[in-house]
Amino acid sequence: MNEIKQFRSATPVITREAEDAARARLLRAMHEPAPEPVRRRAPRVPRLAWRLVVAGAAAVALVAGLEVVQSDGRPDTVAVANVQELGERAAKSVEGDPHDPYAAYKRTPSPGQWLYVKETIAPLLNEPHPEVDRDSRMTRETWQSLDGKQTALDDGKGKLVIHETRPDITAADLAKSPVTPEESLARVGAVVDATPASPFDDGASRQQRVFQAISQLMREQALTPEVRAALFRALPMVEGVTVKQDAVDATGRHGVAFAYTGQWERSEIVLSSDDYRFLGTYREAIADRTLETITVKAGTPLSWTAQLETKLVDKPGHRP
């Protein structure tokens, strides 16, 4: 009995992130095709039982901090241990990707160039209520000027409308030397501090607003690989940012997310689990709240997006 007590007291407490990672690993293993038994003459293990064995082994290996590999030696997708690891993996993926969609973007934007962005989004359920419809999708195309000062979009009647924006900070601002995680975070934070909060941001912490600003930059602006890598490394520096192991974008693609939970809502920046490219965003209310005459209930989805394509074009209205 004393030996059991000593064993229990020496066993480290599993963290919430490690628990989420193990659960995500377990679910993936249970849904993967079951491998054939190695020995031909051995009795076949029932498919469900085999999946459970694989899932259990994967979960144990993950909690123990081991990397599970496939039989051919290629590493399987391994859940990230913490937000710092996610930031580093995502940054290295951007730095080492010769096909990065933003590689053609220069520090000094070329006159007339725009960033074409094609997204799938969940539309508003009933304006002016902020809830989006989980069961509906629509395609949205926008063009962002590389100086960050103009946005163009279709007005729904086939006419292109260009209007001025207030990004407060642009890709060009972030590309000025030095480009480091610390400097990038300081620049975004300075803009957040100087910008009055909107009614929907009332009660949001500074950290939440910084997180949302970085999310918007990744969705809408032509960030150089260097800037994008710096922002990925900056996100773990924002107090309160964690990892969500199994996040889903608006098209149903599963990935891993940077997540921030504030007083009223949770926000997610969803990345691919394979190459850590940006997939989309998600926001959800986590507490009941009344804004003027509108009441938002906990669990209400507030935004759900999936980025399908981005490309530099010569002028708004042009498509790749």
Side-chain angles (χ1 to χ4, degrees):
M1 185 64 70
N2 290 334
E3 288 80 358
I4 293 176
K5 291 181 178 179
Q6 291 175 1
F7 173 79
R8 288 177 175 174
S9 63
T11 302
V13 178
I14 184 171
T15 66
R16 177 62 180 274
E17 290 181 345
E19 182 181 357
D20 287 346
R23 184 180 296 108
R25 185 80 184 150
L26 176 65
L27 291 173
R28 276 200 302 273
M30 291 181 69
H31 286 86
E32 289 173 354
E36 295 295 326
V38 176
R39 298 178 182 176
R40 293 182 178 179
R41 295 184 179 180
R44 290 181 62 86
V45 179
R47 293 175 67 87
L48 178 59
W50 181 256
R51 291 178 185 177
L52 292 174
V53 169
V54 173
V60 170
L62 181 62
V63 173
L66 303 177
E67 182 177 89
V68 179
V69 297
Q70 298 175 342
S71 58
D72 61 1
R74 291 183 293 108
D76 195 1
T77 302
V78 180
V80 292
N82 51 53
V83 71
Q84 287 77 19
E85 183 178 342
L86 176 58
E88 191 60 28
R89 285 194 191 183
K92 287 183 177 178
S93 179
V94 171
E95 292 170 336
D97 184 3
H99 305 295
D100 186 87
Y102 305 113
Y105 173 68
K106 305 300 182 183
R107 287 177 180 269
T108 302
S110 300
Q113 278 199 303
W114 295 66
L115 178 68
Y116 167 78
V117 180
K118 184 178 182 180
E119 295 180 302
T120 290
I121 67 170
L124 288 173
L125 188 62
N126 184 23
E127 289 190 77
H129 198 282
E131 179 179 2
V132 298
D133 189 350
R134 290 184 186 272
D135 301 321
S136 297
R137 297 292 182 273
M138 63 179 291
T139 299
R140 179 172 64 185
E141 294 176 302
T142 59
W143 290 262
Q144 311 286 339
S145 63
L146 292 193
D147 60 8
K149 296 179 179 180
Q150 292 181 305
T151 297
L153 68 161
D154 193 309
D155 66 354
K157 300 178 181 179
K159 182 180 179 181
L160 198 67
V161 177
I162 300 177
H163 60 88
E164 301 295 319
T165 60
R166 286 185 62 241
D168 299 315
I169 188 168
T170 67
D173 295 329
L174 291 171
K176 295 175 182 177
S177 184
V179 181
T180 65
E182 295 79 7
E183 184 62 28
S184 298
L185 190 58
R187 290 172 181 173
V188 174
V191 169
V192 166
D193 292 340
T195 305
S198 70
F200 283 97
D201 287 334
D202 185 34
S205 66
R206 180 180 187 273
Q207 291 86 349
Q208 181 176 342
R209 294 180 63 201
V210 167
F211 183 89
Q212 291 173 345
I214 294 175
S215 177
Q216 184 175 355
L217 284 164
M218 290 190 169
R219 275 186 64 192
E220 299 179 355
Q221 297 212 26
L223 306 175
T224 66
E226 185 180 18
V227 169
R228 191 169 289 264
L231 289 177
F232 278 141
R233 291 189 172 106
L235 279 166
M237 300 178 181
V238 180
E239 185 180 357
V241 174
T242 60
V243 172
K244 183 175 181 181
Q245 298 291 348
D246 189 17
V248 184
D249 73 7
T251 61
R253 295 177 297 190
H254 287 252
V256 60
F258 292 99
Y260 185 90
T261 302
Q263 182 180 2
W264 302 108
E265 65 182 58
R266 183 181 74 255
S267 303
E268 299 173 9
I269 299 173
V270 186
L271 310 181
S272 165
S273 299
D274 298 325
D275 56 11
Y276 303 100
R277 71 188 184 280
F278 176 80
L279 293 183
T281 62
Y282 180 73
R283 288 172 50 232
E284 179 179 287
I286 61 169
D288 294 352
R289 186 183 186 190
T290 299
L291 298 170
E292 297 181 352
T293 61
I294 299 174
T295 298
V296 180
K297 295 290 186 180
T300 299
L302 302 174
S303 176
W304 203 4
T305 73
Q307 192 174 88
L308 304 180
E309 185 178 8
T310 59
K311 195 75 174 180
L312 292 175
V313 295
D314 291 333
K315 65 180 184 179
H318 279 196
R319 294 175 175 83

